[in-house]
Amino acid sequence: MATSIGMMDGAYFVGRNEILTWINNRLHLNLSRIEEAASGAVQCQMMDMTYPGVVPMSKVNFDAKSEYDMIQNYKVLQEVFTKLKIPKRIEVNRLVKGRPLDNLEFLQWLKRYCDSVNGGIMNENYNPVERRRKGGKDRSSKILKSAKSLPANTLNISGSGETLSPNKACVPKQLRSNRGAGGANSTTEVQALSKQVTDLKLSVELLEKERDFYFAKLRDIEILCQASELENDPVSVAVKMILYAADANESALDEAQEYLNQVLNSVEAEEETEV
């Protein structure tokens, strides 16, 4: 079972589109961006689909927008990991920020793990829509209910006997006169926001290119270390210990250095014995 997946594992080369298709097909959703899964609700339901009944869906909030609500979802997910003895650390502080790369890497790991459990076969008996109804209360439904509670008939203006239909609004004359200026301001704001979106897309593309560049370098190093002439070389072994570490763990470097020290000490001891 793929509880420990190194950063050079093929799981981390699965693209965004494949991850989104995997989520949408299995959970009957329509996500278009990776960061839309940053609330942790999708991850909880994926585990619920993999291990039916293990996730307390009543505690999962599918309408989580604030970081506080998202953290509650990840607490549920961490409790499930603990129950199933899955040694995976969840970087909650990074995920709730909605950073695409952090969320993509976690979803890549999750896909690999779920596929290792069910062989990549969809659970046909699982009804994702029905299970989501058992999730935390949707705050948007409360908003709709409160809106429906407003009177739909005509409103009586106190002391005048006049009535206003629901389709008419009491708009001050000053606001009416400023409608033209407001429209111009809105157009300017839309243009500014569009420029920001374009700049962000360019930034994401640059980050992805940089990520692919360093992954390619690490892959070259891995291939070199796997060569038959160097496979058992102490330095190659130490490098692979770092490459195949399950998480971004500082102890991996310490373990590699300790291994090299042990090898060097043993070589020195053998040389002293020969002398």
Side-chain angles (χ1 to χ4, degrees), residues 23-203:
I23 293 172
N24 292 334
N25 288 347
R26 278 163 170 69
L27 301 184
H28 297 177
L29 294 172
N30 190 28
L31 303 187
S32 58
R33 297 179 301 165
I34 288 294
E35 51 268 38
E36 290 178 30
S39 71
V42 166
Q43 292 84 335
C44 286
Q45 189 165 19
M46 276 297 183
M47 291 301 295
D48 184 65
M49 186 178 191
T50 306
Y51 295 98
V54 172
V55 180
M57 295 299 290
S58 60
K59 295 182 180 180
V60 180
N61 184 356
F62 288 91
D63 192 45
K65 296 293 187 295
S66 67
E67 289 190 9
Y68 174 82
D69 290 338
M70 294 180 184
I71 290 172
Q72 304 313 306
N73 284 341
Y74 283 109
K75 284 183 178 179
V76 173
L77 186 62
Q78 190 65 72
E79 289 174 0
V80 172
F81 281 6
T82 302
K83 185 185 298 184
L84 297 173
K85 297 181 180 179
I86 300 174
K88 173 66 176 176
R89 180 183 176 186
I90 304 176
E91 299 288 349
V92 178
N93 291 335
R94 293 184 179 182
L95 296 174
V96 297
K97 299 295 183 184
R99 296 170 182 169
L101 291 180
D102 291 327
N103 281 275
L104 176 61
E105 287 184 0
F106 185 64
L107 288 169
Q108 287 169 331
W109 175 91
L110 184 65
K111 182 180 186 302
R112 176 61 182 272
Y113 176 80
C114 293
D115 287 350
S116 70
V117 175
N118 54 34
I121 300 173
M122 188 183 304
N123 184 354
E124 299 294 343
N125 297 323
Y126 184 83
N127 188 332
V129 178
E130 182 64 28
R131 288 294 289 168
R132 277 198 292 277
R133 289 174 184 167
K134 296 183 179 181
K137 292 183 179 180
D138 192 340
R139 289 178 298 184
S140 61
S141 63
K142 294 181 180 179
I143 296 173
L144 290 174
K145 289 178 182 178
S146 62
K148 289 179 181 178
S149 66
L150 293 174
N153 56 353
T154 56
L155 303 177
N156 184 32
I157 300 178
S158 177
S160 66
E162 296 181 1
T163 58
L164 289 176
S165 67
N167 296 327
K168 293 182 180 179
C170 297
V171 183
K173 293 181 180 179
Q174 185 178 359
L175 290 179
R176 293 177 200 160
S177 62
N178 291 334
R179 279 178 180 172
N185 291 336
S186 298
T187 302
T188 303
E189 290 176 2
V190 169
Q191 291 175 346
L193 290 173
S194 298
K195 185 179 182 303
Q196 289 180 15
V197 170
T198 302
D199 292 341
L200 288 172
K201 286 182 178 179
L202 290 174
S203 298

Side-chain angles (χ1 to χ4, degrees), residues 89 94 241-242 245-257:
R89 180 183 176 186
R94 293 184 179 182
M241 289 174 67
I242 297 174
D247 294 302
N249 195 344
E250 293 182 359
S251 64
L253 177 60
D254 297 335
E255 291 173 0
Q257 290 176 334

